[in-house]
Amino acid sequence: MSETYEVTVTREGKWWMIEVPALGDDGLTQARRLGEAELMARELIAVSAGKPLADINVSVHVKLDAEGPDLTERAEKIKQDRERAAKYESTSVASARALAHEMAAASVPVRDIGQLLDVSFQRASQLIKS
């Protein structure tokens, strides 16, 4: 049965300090890179609690210092914003392509299509050909 542990990661000099409060005084390890923090925390918990690594989940909260705000939520919002922006970009390109095709079918010059779509005539030509 897997259990999720709360983990706080803070920066201390050149190291990321990884604290697992559920383990008490023994719940501290470190990592050189932030990307190593989750695995290091899971390994510490596995050894301390005598559980298989596969049964351990962690919820990592990153802070610059112990008193600072949780940066994980802000980073997650940025990730969601990027995903939303990529979706909008994809929709926008599809719409521009459809309009460019419509206009080209009506014999509108490529330069005029580019002008209306606020893209170069080369990009307008790419949209028409795609």
Side-chain angles (χ1 to χ4, degrees):
M1 177 159 129
S2 72
E3 187 175 345
T4 300
Y5 290 81
E6 295 293 319
V7 175
T8 302
V9 180
T10 55
R11 189 72 179 168
E12 191 172 301
K14 294 183 178 185
W15 294 91
W16 288 100
M17 301 307 293
I18 304 159
E19 181 184 6
V20 184
L23 299 180
D25 292 339
D26 294 331
L28 190 63
T29 187
Q30 61 187 12
R32 178 68 82 182
R33 301 276 177 249
L34 186 55
E36 301 167 344
E38 181 179 340
L39 178 60
M40 295 296 291
R42 289 178 62 230
E43 287 176 347
L44 174 65
I45 295 164
V47 169
S48 298
K51 297 180 179 180
L53 192 61
D55 289 349
I56 298 168
N57 296 311
V58 293
S59 177
V60 178
H61 302 278
V62 179
K63 299 179 176 189
L64 291 179
D65 57 57
E67 312 309 312
D70 186 349
L71 304 178
T72 309
E73 292 175 15
R74 288 174 57 194
E76 184 59 33
K77 176 154 181 358
I78 291 168
K79 179 182 173 185
Q80 290 171 358
D81 289 347
R82 284 184 181 144
E83 289 170 356
R84 228 178 353 268
K87 181 181 172 187
Y88 289 141
E89 176 67 17
S90 176
T91 301
S92 173
V93 169
S95 296
R97 184 179 301 118
L99 182 55
H101 280 239
E102 253 181 75
M103 293 175 74
S107 300
V108 175
V110 176
R111 286 190 186 275
D112 291 340
I113 295 170
Q115 177 70 38
L116 183 65
L117 293 174
D118 196 26
V119 297
S120 67
F121 79 91
Q122 293 96 334
R123 179 64 181 137
S125 180
Q126 289 175 338
L127 289 168
I128 293 165
K129 291 177 182 177
S130 65

